[in-house]
Amino acid sequence: MIAGIGIDITEIARIRAAVNKNHHFIDRVLTRDEISQLDLLSDKRKFEYIAGRFSAKESYSKAYGSGLGKKVRFQDLTIINNQDGKPIVYNHPFDGNALVSISHTDSTVVTEVILENRG
């Protein structure tokens, strides 16, 4: 049974500006495992990846029903692409399944998260 749905749209230029203004932005938004995956990407893909994770974590917090910074922080969940490129949510606070979809154009990232109860 679905427990929550969240969606978010993020401008990649906004994330690029945040990273260029404060490099600690990456450390605030991404977990160590996400940063390890980020380090393997080309420069263009890096900003898409950061924006995608930022947006997906926003979507997760909306599905969880709290918004970021209340019950869910950026470091509370990890989203890593599997060997096929599918993003998988790990180490998250919801006691059930978290499904994520991330898509982008050259300028925009859109994400959706569905939280479903187990069983």
Side-chain angles (χ1 to χ4, degrees):
M1 172 180 260
I2 293 177
I5 299 172
I7 189 167
D8 186 73
I9 299 171
T10 299
E11 295 292 329
I12 296 171
R14 189 177 118 214
I15 299 303
R16 182 186 305 265
V19 169
N20 289 338
K21 182 177 179 181
N22 180 2
H23 194 276
H24 293 291
F25 179 84
I26 293 172
D27 295 326
R28 187 169 67 88
V29 172
L30 302 182
T31 63
R32 269 188 264 161
D33 290 337
E34 291 166 330
I35 290 171
S36 294
Q37 198 165 61
L38 173 72
D39 290 341
L40 301 174
L41 301 175
S42 67
D43 285 342
K44 179 182 185 294
R45 280 286 298 134
K46 283 183 180 185
F47 288 106
E48 293 169 353
Y49 184 91
I50 298 164
R53 283 355 184 231
F54 177 92
S55 181
K57 291 177 183 191
E58 285 275 2
S59 290
Y60 181 98
S61 72
K62 292 171 184 176
Y64 197 66
S66 66
L68 274 169
K70 296 182 182 186
K71 293 182 183 178
V72 178
R73 298 178 319 240
F74 286 115
Q75 295 295 314
D76 290 340
L77 58 146
T78 299
I79 304 167
I80 298 293
N81 292 350
N82 70 11
Q83 65 275 8
D84 297 323
K86 178 182 177 181
I88 307 293
V89 182
Y90 295 96
N91 305 324
H92 57 94
F94 179 70
D95 187 28
N97 298 318
L99 308 170
V100 62
S101 182
I102 302 172
S103 188
H104 59 81
T105 66
D106 286 338
S107 62
T108 307
V109 171
V110 63
T111 59
E112 182 176 30
V113 169
I114 298 173
L115 300 179
E116 65 178 5
N117 294 313
R118 294 193 175 137

